[in-house]
Amino acid sequence: MRCLITGFEPFGSEKSNPSQDVVKMLPSQLGRGTKAADVAGKVLTTCGSCAWRELARPLSKSDVVIMLGLASGRKKIGLERFALNIRDYPLPDNKGHKPQNRPIDPACPLALKTDIDVRLLAKKLNDLGLPSEVSNHAGSFVCNETYFRALRHQADNGKPGAVLFVHLPRAGSLCYTAYGARMAKGMSPAVRRQAGLRIMSEAIIAIAESLIARQSRNRSR
């Protein structure tokens, strides 16, 4: 089984992107026995058309696809329920594109929904002490566009078996959420960042293992 996990390069005024950092921290294999999967990490260009060109081929060869991106204003890890059929970039992407109020695909519905139970998955993460929440849509920037195209590919081709987008907060913000303000303030910025990235990587590993097990069950039916 193959599990593809993607992140994005920094964009706008952001000097780093935790999704890129987390991808580089992941192991090359997860699970055991029949529930094992090879893990491939890929960092995508923060450009709508570029990202999809880079993603399309490895996505079509994968059983589980988890895409990561940065949502700097959030405090928890966000599991995205819908991708919207809209390109309405709040800032230019890394190639200077800034489409406004355009559909990604005029022939498609206004939104596509993952078939993963994100509420149950968020509960599992929170039970593990990994601050997570359900988000109803992935915005209108490159993250959302890539998610929409991946879900459309899944609907048209019946694969990958699982597709999910996960938005990550800034690493330091997640550290405050996880450990509380008093403890987080006692850490240096570098320590807060590393602590936040560690929580994120643990969460993504837990998500991947859950979806790999789900795909294994589906195969055995």
Side-chain angles (χ1 to χ4, degrees), residues 10 19 43 53 68 70 87 151 162-163 209:
S19 69
V43 177
R53 285 196 299 269
L68 313 178
L70 169 63
R87 303 177 79 220
L151 289 173
V163 176
E209 289 179 338

Side-chain angles (χ1 to χ4, degrees), residues 94-112:
N94 285 4
K95 297 295 183 180
H97 308 128
K98 193 182 178 184
Q100 299 287 289
N101 196 31
R102 299 179 192 170
I104 298 168
D105 188 335
C108 282
L110 294 177
L112 296 177

Side-chain angles (χ1 to χ4, degrees), residues 4-11 16-26 40-47 50-56 58 66-70 94 142 146 165 168:
L4 174 66
I5 302 178
T6 69
F8 282 102
E9 63 188 9
F11 59 92
S16 63
N17 192 322
S19 69
Q20 180 182 46
D21 297 327
V22 169
V23 164
K24 293 178 179 179
M25 295 169 67
L26 296 172
K42 188 172 183 63
V43 177
L44 305 174
T45 304
T46 306
C47 160
C50 301
W52 178 241
R53 285 196 299 269
E54 294 163 359
L55 177 63
I66 303 166
M67 292 172 283
L68 313 178
L70 169 63
N94 285 4
V142 177
T146 310
F165 199 98
L168 305 175

